[in-house]
Structure formats: C-alpha cells, structure tokens
Amino acid sequence: MESIPTGIDSIIYFRVMSKPTKVTIQDIARFAGVGVGTVSRVLNGHPNVSPETEANVRKAIEALGYRPVVAAQTLRTRRSNVIGFITDEIATSPHAGQIIRGAQEAAWKGGKILLLVNTQWDPELEQAAVETMIDRQVDGLIYATMYHRPVTPPEIMRQIPSVLLDCFTEDASLPSVVPDEFNGGYEATKLLIERGHQRIGFINNTDPIPAQRLRMKGYCAALESYDLPFDEALVVERKSEPKGGYDGMMVLLDLPDPPSAVFCFNDRMAMGAYDAIRQRGFRIPQDIAVIGFDNQELIAANLYPGLTTMQLPHYEMGIWAVEYLLSMLETSEKDDFKQECSPPQVQLKCPLVLRDSV
Amino acid sequence: MESIPTGIDSIIYFRVMSKPTKVTIQDIARFAGVGVGTVSRVLNGHPNVSPETEANVRKAIEALGYRPVVAAQTLRTRRSNVIGFITDEIATSPHAGQIIRGAQEAAWKGGKILLLVNTQWDPELEQAAVETMIDRQVDGLIYATMYHRPVTPPEIMRQIPSVLLDCFTEDASLPSVVPDEFNGGYEATKLLIERGHQRIGFINNTDPIPAQRLRMKGYCAALESYDLPFDEALVVERKSEPKGGYDGMMVLLDLPDPPSAVFCFNDRMAMGAYDAIRQRGFRIPQDIAVIGFDNQELIAANLYPGLTTMQLPHYEMGIWAVEYLLSMLETSEKDDFKQECSPPQVQLKCPLVLRDSV
DNA sequence: CTGTTAGCGCTTTCAG
DNA sequence: CTGAAAGCGCTAACAG
C-alpha cells in the first residue's frame, strides 16, 4: 500500500524537486525581525550581538534553510576562500594523488577549497592559469611539481601569497617545501651499514636533478660517519629505469670485490637490480641487500622479497604547503601582505619503509 | 654598468611591484568615452556593437590592463564557470591522475575550471562538499570514483547538472561513463584465440564488482564466438593482487591439461602469474601467453617481457564526463535544466596495449 | 547601435 | 548592541 503515490505525496515531491527560490539574508532578517546587518554579524561570528537576538537569527536561518551566496561575499570582501593549485603534470606519477590529497585535506580543514589546473608543462597555460586564478581572487597559490626540481614560476604569481611544492626557485625568493634528499640518502646508507655491510654499492640516476646530487651526498656522508672508505668503483650511474638498475647492478657484480649491499636511486632501478641479482644466482637479502627510494607501492610492495625503501613525503608536503599558505594569509590580514623575512625553504624527512630486502 | 640601478629603474620597479589598483569596467568606459553597457557588450561578444566602438573599447581594455572580477560576474549571472569535481579517493591509484587530467583539459577548453574535493569515502564530507559547491554556484558536478562501481551519490547533487565518472547508479538516473569491461574481456580473449590458443585460462578477481562479472562474460562470449568450449576448470578466482595471480596460475599449471595462455583480471595478478610461470620453468610467451588488464604502466611496462594488457580509458572518461556536462549546460540555457529523456549510460572501449607477453 | 539604470547578495561603516 | 545605507563590479533590461 505504501508504494502507491497519493495526491499529497505528489505535491510534496513536486515541492521538493522544484528549484528552491534562493533565500537571502534579507529574508531571514525579515523573518527574525532584525536588520540585515545583524544577520550578517551572527553569520560572521561578530562579538556585539545579544544572545537572544543571535538565537532568533539562527532559528530563522535554520527555518528558512539559508545558505550564503559565496559570490556576493567574495565580491564584497575580496576573499574567495579558494586556494589555487597548479601542477605541471598530474598523470604519470602515482605521487600526484598523495600531494593533492594532503593539500586538499589541509585546505578543507582551513575552510578553503582547491581550484585545480594542470598545465602539462606548457608555460603559456601556466601563465593563463595564474591569471585566471587571480581574476577569481584566490586567497593564495600552490605551485606543485611532480618531482623535486628548480623552477621559474610566472612572475605574476608574486602578486599573491604563493608557495612552491616539491620545487624551489634558485634564489629562494618564494617559500618552498621539498623532500630531504640528503637525509634520505644518508639514512638509507646508514641502515645498510648498521646491518653490517661494509662495501655498499650505489646505483645512481644520470639526470642532474637535486635528488641525484643530494642522495649521493647523503651516501657519502653516511660512509664517512662510520669511517668506511669511499670507493668510486662502487658508484655507478644509469638511466633511472629498471634497465638502468639491471645494468648498473651487473657492473657492480662484476667487480673483483663486489658489494654485499646496494642502494638504488629509486624503486624502479631496484626492480632491475633484483633481476640482475637473481640472474647471477644470488639471494636477496642473504647474499645482497637492496634498498630503494620513492616507495612506489605498486613496485616496492609487490616485488619479492618486499623492497625496503625510503618514502617521499608527498602527502606531508601537500599539507605543509597549504598550512604555511594559510599562516601567510593570517598574518597578511593585518600587515597587508608583505614578506617580512626571507621565505622558508623547508625540507621534509623521507621516512624509512622496512620490508624484506635488507 | 647596466646592473647599477638608476633612479628611473627604481621608479619603474616600484610601479610594477606596487599593488595595481583594480581597474573596473567603469574606468575603461570613461577612458574609451562610452557607457559601461557598451563595454560589457564587447566583453561578452554581443552582436550590436559598431566595429569602431569595439576597437576603441578593446584599446582601452588593453591600455589599462583590465581584468574582469569573476565574483561580480558570478553574482550577476549566477554562473561561475566552475565545475565541481568530487572524488572518493584520489591517492592510491595512478589512474586518478589520468581521470583528472582528462577532465581538467576538457574543462579548460570549455572555459571552465575545476573545483576539487577528495572525500576519502566519507559520506558526510561528500554531502558537505556538494553543498559547498552549490553555494559557490558551480555550473555542474562530476562525481568520480577510482574504480568502476555502483554508487548512491548525495541526493542534493540532483539539483544541478551532474555526471558520474567511472561509476553509476543502479537506477541509471544520472548520466554516467564507465569502461566497457565486457568488450575488454572479449577483446583480450579474442587476441589470445587469434594467436592460436585453444585452451585459455582466466584468473579472475573475487570481489563482486562490475569488472569481475563483465570481464568474465566477455571471456565467455569470445570463446563462444570462436566455437571454443568453455571449461570451468580453466577459470579460477583469487584476490586481485600478485599473490592471487601466483596462486591462480599454479592451479592452472597443475591441471592435467593446462592452458597455453592466460587472461588475468589485472596487471597485478599478471605479475604474480609471471612468477608462477617462471618458477615452473615455462617461458612467456613461448610456452604460456599472458594478457593483463588496466595497463598500469609501472607494472606492465616494467615486467619482463613487457605485459600485453587492456587499457582502462581513464583519460577519455574524464574528457567525456566534462564534455557531456558542458553539453547539458548548453541545452539547459534554454530549457531551464530538465532531463528530457533518460540519461546516457556510456561505456568506453578499453584499447589493447600490445607488448611482448602474448 | 548605445547610455543609463537597477539591482545580484552581502559586508561594513555610521549613527543612533 | 542594532538598523539603515552605501556600495563591491558587473550584466541586462529599457529607453532612446
């Protein structure tokens, strides 16, 4: 019986579905018997409202189902509560999701929302994206890259509070957050040393990017901390892909005195190293220990044995970038947006992910 | 010499850096000696403007560096040129990037921009996200999931044009776009058959999701098309991970009459199947051919030999969803947003990616 | 073809 | 503590 629509049901249905005419601040002012100013005040949590007036207003808001029109607020206050998020490339790396998730969560917590543009390495699009966002009066901008590198973002970005994510300008003129590659290289090597290895190979990348240089430095620093000699024969550079890892490992294995452990620039190279080690009939980790970098779950967790690796702090960088931006916004409320001291250049630690390859 | 700042340079520098006072439509009207209405008309490409007036106005716009205040436009027109993009989960899958890239590119082409919220499976957040977006007067909504599945999105979504991406409602009441799993299963199996295989194994997933059921149907349909018998011993179900693929493959290999080719539910399972095949001393593809699904580059391209697989059309679905939304918006300009016929439930083909495992 | 005018819904003085 | 009034910048009638 209850599924047969009655006339009343139909009417209700109709009312629910018909486009609700927008209820404004005026409506609730009238309903509550106060002025619009007062309504605005309770909406914005201003102090000077008597408790009972406030209660009345809130009741009216509830009763009429009031929802603010954000465009009107933005027009009036020049603040949109939107953060512009610009990425150079979003598709190829699974890390993009972590960065965005971190940024989005922090933004939501701060009452902001992300406006996203992916520029696919196109400088013109990048410029246009920033302009569009400024036109929309975003409160601030995040400029994110998919791997750690120096950048020269559009000058126009400097007009509003901005932070760089996973990248930096050479002159450190914009706040930035990147992974601590040096420490990552150091910790990776240190783990190997502490597990008793004395001869440790390093299969590095050939691309002249910060990660390449800094992880190498970390490797060297760790050796030095433990008074282990640096042997340049133990360091090989190859393309950062499985094939490179394979080739590099083969070279190390062919050494008169091969290493008992190897630090690979990233998990993909480690994947190739696995193949080389197996092919030569060695076992991981008993004969050769392997540590990677990046913690690409798809690879690291699925390799056998599971790959021990250093994790890039993408999620954390996303959070940091937004939170720092939020803090800039707060201070600029009063000080009319000016950079007091030099912008922070933050490095976030890469946590160790222990699996079974060391 | 040229690096020593002169007085003039300083002044220019100062003028460039000082916050430019906003130039409005009024300013350019005055500058061009016309009324604001006229300026608005040329801005919006209205027909009734004489060429020379238009030229003057454009000159003024150029000269004063006019940029519209989007909030004012939105307030007036009730259209924000923003598309709300809601995802259930953005971080775990590399596919997310492709979906977003497709959506974002299509949106940009249509003069729209994406407002992103990732809800991490939280229904409350989901509801709040939709409300926020409606408050911001988004033109429409995309609701995207990271794997193909049925959903029950917040009712409130129906108030504005919305499309489902990689998901659908059971009652087909919202437009949706998903991968054509059936065809994918069919084509995968067909490839194996055409390469001369008669006994073809299928290592399926155990999760009762559309992909599981439909790829199976495709597998059966292909066998039938080629008059090959269906042997239920050749179909095994396991968890959709490398271990599951490994176990499933072992079962098939232990059959009295094992298959000469195997279709794996996804690339991760294929990865496990590779191990099993190798462990038994068989070669891929000479002894056993393998085809996967998903085309997870990180796995498929890096396995040896490269894994032939069916690609999920994430990028294309992103584009389709936005383009369809855009077309809805156009028609609703006139017809005051109502669904004339039943909303389309589109399936996009999964292209074959040939590598070396078949 | 074009200028003028009236708001869109909200915040914020400014007087009480 | 509260109401009234003045716009934020833009678009869309409405008269010319």
Side-chain angles (χ1 to χ4, degrees):
Chain A
M1 211 32 136
E2 67 271 31
S3 67
I4 296 175
T6 67
I8 289 172
D9 282 341
S10 306
I11 288 169
I12 290 173
Y13 183 77
F14 179 77
R15 288 183 58 202
V16 169
M17 296 313 289
S18 74
K19 194 170 289 184
T21 61
K22 192 66 201 175
V23 11
T24 76
I25 209 177
Q26 310 275 358
D27 298 324
I28 77 145
R30 204 173 310 131
F31 190 94
V34 299
V36 292
T38 304
V39 178
S40 176
R41 273 179 284 254
V42 341
L43 246 21
N44 295 290
H46 270 259
N48 290 349
V49 183
S50 80
E52 59 176 331
T53 312
E54 171 164 357
N56 281 337
V57 171
R58 293 214 179 280
K59 214 171 296 169
I61 289 174
E62 184 70 24
L64 304 192
Y66 169 79
R67 304 241 82 200
V69 170
V70 178
Q73 298 180 131
T74 302
L75 179 59
R76 203 41 239 257
T77 62
R78 306 168 140 325
R79 302 178 64 254
S80 59
N81 283 317
V82 170
I83 293 176
F85 191 93
I86 297 184
T87 60
D88 57 349
E89 162 39 42
I90 203 175
T92 54
S93 139
H95 300 322
Q98 297 288 358
I99 293 180
I100 295 175
R101 184 167 67 94
Q104 131 77 34
E105 282 178 13
W108 187 266
K109 235 172 250 168
K112 313 279 183 193
I113 194 163
L114 295 185
L115 201 54
L116 179 95
V117 174
N118 174 219
T119 61
Q120 286 309 121
W121 309 94
D122 177 345
E124 273 182 50
L125 221 181
E126 205 168 67
Q127 175 76 21
V130 177
E131 284 172 1
T132 300
M133 290 182 162
I134 291 180
D135 291 348
R136 288 176 180 278
Q137 300 173 79
V138 295
D139 298 342
L141 233 37
I142 306 271
Y143 183 93
T145 56
M146 287 309 132
Y147 72 91
H148 180 181
R149 64 189 179 95
V151 292
T152 57
E155 275 303 313
I156 188 179
M157 250 181 79
R158 295 166 191 279
Q159 288 183 9
I160 60 174
S162 301
V163 2
L164 304 177
L165 203 173
D166 208 12
C167 55
F168 60 96
T169 54
E170 300 284 11
D171 63 0
S173 59
L174 247 17
S176 84
V177 58
V178 298
D180 189 341
E181 312 278 2
F182 172 84
N183 181 262
Y186 184 92
E187 291 294 331
T189 311
K190 180 178 149 195
L191 175 73
L192 263 13
I193 296 171
E194 290 187 337
R195 292 293 169 92
H197 297 281
Q198 304 268 345
R199 284 185 63 74
I200 297 170
F202 179 28
I203 305 179
N204 202 357
N205 182 3
T206 50
D207 301 320
I209 56 176
Q212 189 246 18
R213 193 168 40 81
L214 295 169
R215 288 176 199 174
M216 174 70 179
K217 277 196 165 178
Y219 164 81
C220 294
L223 293 180
E224 202 175 319
S225 301
Y226 286 83
D227 292 320
L228 255 28
F230 170 78
D231 179 351
E232 67 178 346
L234 288 176
V235 177
V236 297
E237 293 189 352
R238 289 293 184 282
K239 290 197 71 172
S240 68
E241 53 186 38
K243 180 77 165 65
Y246 176 89
D247 292 345
M249 193 68 225
M250 279 303 188
V251 169
L252 294 179
L253 257 18
D254 283 338
L255 250 30
D257 187 9
S260 66
V262 63
F263 167 32
C264 297
F265 175 80
N266 66 19
D267 295 351
R268 299 179 68 218
M269 296 188 84
M271 192 177 182
Y274 265 49
D275 284 341
I277 293 170
R278 289 256 179 60
Q279 194 166 317
R280 286 296 172 88
F282 293 117
R283 294 161 306 166
I284 304 169
Q286 296 89 337
D287 302 318
I288 312 257
V290 179
I291 188 166
F293 215 113
D294 287 5
N295 191 31
Q296 296 223 341
E297 294 280 349
L298 229 41
I299 292 177
N302 290 331
L303 245 25
Y304 182 80
L307 178 66
T308 290
T309 190
M310 306 302 296
Q311 179 168 330
L312 256 10
H314 291 289
Y315 176 68
E316 291 76 11
M317 292 193 297
I319 292 177
W320 189 92
V322 168
E323 286 185 345
Y324 184 73
L325 188 59
L326 259 26
S327 77
M328 285 173 85
L329 297 179
E330 258 176 40
T331 58
S332 76
E333 298 276 281
K334 354 192 178 234
D335 307 333
D336 200 24
F337 180 45
K338 66 180 71 132
Q339 208 61 41
E340 60 277 27
C341 40
S342 57
Q345 308 287 302
V346 168
Q347 301 184 312
L348 259 29
K349 292 257 183 296
C350 302
L352 171 66
V353 180
L354 274 174
R355 292 202 180 84
D356 309 307
S357 64
V358 172
Chain B
M1 209 31 133
E2 67 270 30
S3 68
I4 296 175
T6 67
I8 290 172
D9 282 341
S10 305
I11 288 168
I12 289 173
Y13 182 77
F14 179 78
R15 288 185 55 204
V16 169
M17 294 315 287
S18 73
K19 193 171 288 182
T21 61
K22 192 67 202 175
V23 11
T24 73
I25 209 176
Q26 310 275 358
D27 298 324
I28 78 143
R30 204 174 311 131
F31 191 95
V34 299
V36 291
T38 304
V39 178
S40 177
R41 274 180 284 255
V42 342
L43 247 21
N44 296 289
H46 270 257
N48 292 349
V49 184
S50 80
E52 58 176 331
T53 312
E54 171 163 358
N56 281 336
V57 171
R58 293 213 179 281
K59 214 171 296 170
I61 289 174
E62 184 70 23
L64 304 191
Y66 168 79
R67 304 242 83 202
V69 170
V70 179
Q73 299 180 130
T74 302
L75 180 58
R76 202 45 239 254
T77 63
R78 314 176 108 40
R79 301 178 63 253
S80 60
N81 283 317
V82 170
I83 293 175
F85 191 93
I86 296 183
T87 60
D88 56 351
E89 160 42 39
I90 203 175
T92 55
S93 139
H95 301 323
Q98 297 288 358
I99 292 180
I100 295 175
R101 184 167 66 96
Q104 132 76 34
E105 282 179 14
W108 188 266
K109 233 171 255 168
K112 313 279 184 192
I113 195 164
L114 296 185
L115 200 56
L116 180 94
V117 174
N118 174 218
T119 60
Q120 288 305 125
W121 310 95
D122 177 346
E124 272 182 50
L125 222 181
E126 203 168 70
Q127 175 76 18
V130 176
E131 283 171 2
T132 300
M133 292 183 161
I134 290 180
D135 290 348
R136 288 177 180 277
Q137 301 175 74
V138 295
D139 298 343
L141 233 37
I142 306 272
Y143 183 94
T145 56
M146 287 310 132
Y147 73 91
H148 180 182
R149 65 190 178 94
V151 293
T152 56
E155 275 302 313
I156 189 179
M157 251 182 78
R158 295 167 193 276
Q159 287 182 11
I160 61 174
S162 303
V163 1
L164 304 177
L165 203 172
D166 208 13
C167 55
F168 59 95
T169 53
E170 300 284 12
D171 63 0
S173 58
L174 247 18
S176 86
V177 58
V178 297
D180 189 340
E181 313 277 3
F182 173 84
N183 182 262
Y186 183 92
E187 292 295 331
T189 310
K190 180 178 149 195
L191 174 73
L192 263 15
I193 297 172
E194 291 186 337
R195 292 292 171 93
H197 297 281
Q198 304 268 346
R199 283 184 63 75
I200 297 170
F202 179 27
I203 305 180
N204 202 357
N205 181 3
T206 49
D207 302 319
I209 57 176
Q212 188 245 20
R213 195 168 38 81
L214 295 169
R215 290 177 197 173
M216 174 70 180
K217 276 196 167 177
Y219 165 81
C220 294
L223 293 180
E224 201 174 320
S225 300
Y226 286 82
D227 291 321
L228 253 29
F230 170 79
D231 179 353
E232 67 177 346
L234 288 176
V235 177
V236 297
E237 292 189 352
R238 288 293 184 282
K239 289 196 74 172
S240 68
E241 54 186 39
K243 180 77 167 65
Y246 176 89
D247 292 345
M249 193 69 224
M250 280 302 187
V251 170
L252 294 180
L253 256 18
D254 283 338
L255 250 30
D257 186 7
S260 65
V262 63
F263 167 32
C264 297
F265 175 80
N266 66 19
D267 295 350
R268 300 179 67 217
M269 296 187 84
M271 191 178 183
Y274 266 49
D275 285 341
I277 292 169
R278 289 255 179 60
Q279 194 167 318
R280 286 296 171 89
F282 294 116
R283 294 161 306 164
I284 302 170
Q286 296 87 338
D287 302 319
I288 311 256
V290 180
I291 188 167
F293 216 114
D294 286 5
N295 191 32
Q296 297 223 341
E297 293 280 347
L298 229 41
I299 293 177
N302 290 331
L303 245 25
Y304 182 79
L307 178 64
T308 291
T309 190
M310 307 302 296
Q311 179 169 328
L312 255 11
H314 291 290
Y315 177 67
E316 292 75 11
M317 291 193 297
I319 292 177
W320 189 92
V322 169
E323 287 186 345
Y324 184 73
L325 188 58
L326 259 27
S327 77
M328 285 173 84
L329 296 178
E330 257 176 43
T331 58
S332 76
E333 298 276 280
K334 353 192 180 241
D335 307 333
D336 200 25
F337 180 46
K338 67 179 73 133
Q339 208 62 42
E340 60 278 26
C341 40
S342 57
Q345 307 288 301
V346 168
Q347 301 184 313
L348 259 29
K349 292 257 184 294
C350 302
L352 172 66
V353 179
L354 274 174
R355 291 201 182 85
D356 309 306
S357 64
V358 172

